[in-house]
C-alpha cells in the first residue's frame, strides 16, 4: 500500500473540460436520464467529487460527471491525478469504481424513514436518484399475508370419506361387519359392493318373495344404510 501522502485525493486541481479524454473502452453506460440526474445533483449540491484522471488527462473515473459538466456549460472541473498508475491498474479501476458502489445495499426500513423525513422538510426526492417505481414500491402498504394452509382434517374436523385411516378402530369394525355379512372387498365399490345375496339383504322369506315378485331388491337400500352407518348388523333395521 502506498504512503497516504501520495494518495491522489490529497491533490485536487482544476483542468479544462476540453483537455479531458473519456476512456474509449469504458464498459459503464450512462443514459441521458442518468446524466440529467447527475446534472441536477451538481446544481443542488455543487461539485463534491473530483474526476479521476491519469497524467495525460485520460479519465479513469467520472465519465458521467464530465458529461454533466458539459451540459452545465462548465469550462473547468476539479480533478485528481492518479500519478504513476500502471495501465493494468487504471483499466481495473475503471471497472472497480463502478462495481464496488453497486455492491452496497439499502436498509429499506431506514431508507423509508430518511426519505419520509426529507418529504416533511420539503426536499425534492427526485434529486436522490431513485426511479418512481422503486419509490412507489418502497412506500407501498404491505400486502395482506396469505392465510395459513390447513389440512382437510383440520378444516372439516375429520378426513374426507375417501381417505381411510386403517389405524382407527371404526374402520376395522365396519370391515369386520361387512365380512360377517359375506361381503367380499375384492368386489370393488359402488354397485358391485352392494350386490349381496337376497338372504342377507332381506332375512324375512315372505318379504323377500314379495320384493322379488315386484321386481325389487333390498340391496341398494341396505347398502346405502350400511355405508352411512345407519344399519346395525343383527338389528333388523
Amino acid at each position: 500500500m502506498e504512503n497516504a501522502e501520495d494518495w491522489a485525493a490529497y491533490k485536487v486541481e482544476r483542468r479544462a473540460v476540453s483537455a479531458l479524454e473519456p476512456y474509449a473502452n469504458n464498459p459503464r453506460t450512462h443514459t441521458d436520464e442518468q446524466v440529467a440526474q447527475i446534472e441536477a445533483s451538481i446544481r443542488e449540491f455543487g461539485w463534491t467529487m473530483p474526476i479521476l484522471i491519469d497524467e495525460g488527462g485520460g479519465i479513469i473515473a467520472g465519465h458521467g460527471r464530465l458529461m454533466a459538466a458539459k451540459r452545465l456549460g462548465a469550462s473547468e472541473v476539479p480533478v485528481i491525478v492518479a500519478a504513476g498508475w500502471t495501465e493494468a491498474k487504471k483499466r481495473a479501476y475503471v471497472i472497480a469504481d463502478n462495481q464496488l458502489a453497486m455492491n452496497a445495499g439499502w436498509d429499506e426500513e431506514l431508507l423509508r424513514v430518511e426519505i419520509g423525513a426529507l418529504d416533511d422538510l420539503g426536499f425534492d426526492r427526485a434529486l436522490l436518484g431513485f426511479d418512481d417505481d422503486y419509490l412507489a414500491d418502497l412506500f407501498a402498504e404491505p400486502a395482506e399475508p396469505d392465510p395459513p394452509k390447513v389440512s382437510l382434517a383440520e378444516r372439516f374436523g375429520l378426513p374426507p370419506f375417501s381417505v381411510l385411516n386403517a389405524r382407527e378402530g371404526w374402520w376395522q369394525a365396519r370391515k369386520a361387519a361387512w365380512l360377517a355379512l359375506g361381503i367380499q372387498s375384492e368386489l370393488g365399490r359402488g354397485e358391485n359392493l352392494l350386490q349381496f345375496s337376497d338372504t342377507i339383504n332381506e332375512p324375512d322369506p315372505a318379504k323377500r318373495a314379495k320384493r322379488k315378485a315386484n321386481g325389487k331388491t333390498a340391496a341398494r337400500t341396505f347398502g346405502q344404510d350400511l355405508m352411512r352407518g345407519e344399519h346395525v348388523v343383527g338389528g333388523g333395521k
Side-chain angles (χ1 to χ4, degrees):
M1 176 174 154
E2 62 183 345
N3 191 306
E5 294 298 326
D6 296 327
W7 285 353
Y10 280 20
K11 304 169 184 176
V12 180
E13 56 186 87
R14 292 184 180 183
R15 292 284 179 94
V17 169
S18 59
L20 303 182
E21 185 68 28
Y23 179 47
N25 288 336
N26 178 27
R28 189 65 168 165
T29 60
H30 297 278
T31 65
D32 286 342
E33 181 182 5
Q34 195 253 344
V35 174
Q37 290 175 339
I38 298 174
E39 179 184 356
S41 177
I42 294 173
R43 288 183 183 277
E44 177 67 25
F45 304 110
W47 202 286
T48 61
M49 187 179 299
I51 296 174
L52 179 65
I53 62 174
D54 63 17
E55 290 99 332
I59 297 178
I60 301 172
H63 290 81
R65 293 192 291 280
L66 179 65
M67 295 167 72
K70 291 179 178 179
R71 286 193 178 194
L72 290 167
S75 58
E76 291 184 334
V77 292
V79 301
I80 50 179
V81 180
W85 282 23
T86 65
E87 185 66 20
K89 191 171 182 179
K90 290 187 288 185
R91 295 176 73 166
Y93 195 76
V94 170
I95 299 172
D97 178 58
N98 292 292
Q99 185 57 40
L100 290 173
M102 291 176 63
N103 289 342
W106 290 106
D107 182 321
E108 292 195 336
E109 183 176 351
L110 292 177
L111 184 60
R112 278 191 295 270
V113 170
E114 287 301 297
I115 295 178
L118 290 173
D119 289 342
D120 293 340
L121 293 171
F123 190 83
D124 184 3
R125 60 165 62 176
L127 293 169
L128 301 177
F130 296 105
D131 61 50
D132 293 338
D133 289 340
Y134 180 83
L135 291 176
D137 290 341
L138 183 68
F139 286 93
E141 293 294 329
E144 291 292 332
D146 294 332
K149 295 182 179 180
V150 296
S151 66
L152 289 175
E154 293 173 321
R155 184 176 178 184
F156 297 107
L158 73 164
F161 186 77
S162 60
V163 179
L164 302 176
N165 188 343
R167 293 175 295 181
E168 296 182 1
W170 70 270
W171 177 243
Q172 284 88 339
R174 183 66 52 80
K175 182 177 180 182
W178 288 5
L179 293 175
L181 291 171
I183 303 172
Q184 299 179 19
S185 61
E186 61 269 17
L187 291 177
R189 300 180 179 178
E191 295 297 325
N192 290 334
L193 183 63
L194 302 177
Q195 290 176 359
F196 312 133
S197 71
D198 288 341
T199 303
I200 294 173
N201 288 328
E202 181 51 74
D204 188 326
K207 291 182 178 180
R208 188 165 63 249
K210 183 177 179 180
R211 293 186 65 84
K212 278 189 175 182
N214 293 331
K216 297 180 179 179
T217 175
R220 179 175 296 279
T221 301
F222 178 89
Q224 288 175 338
D225 291 347
L226 183 64
M227 292 293 286
R228 291 195 298 262
E230 297 176 359
H231 182 87
V232 180
V233 178
K237 184 178 179 180

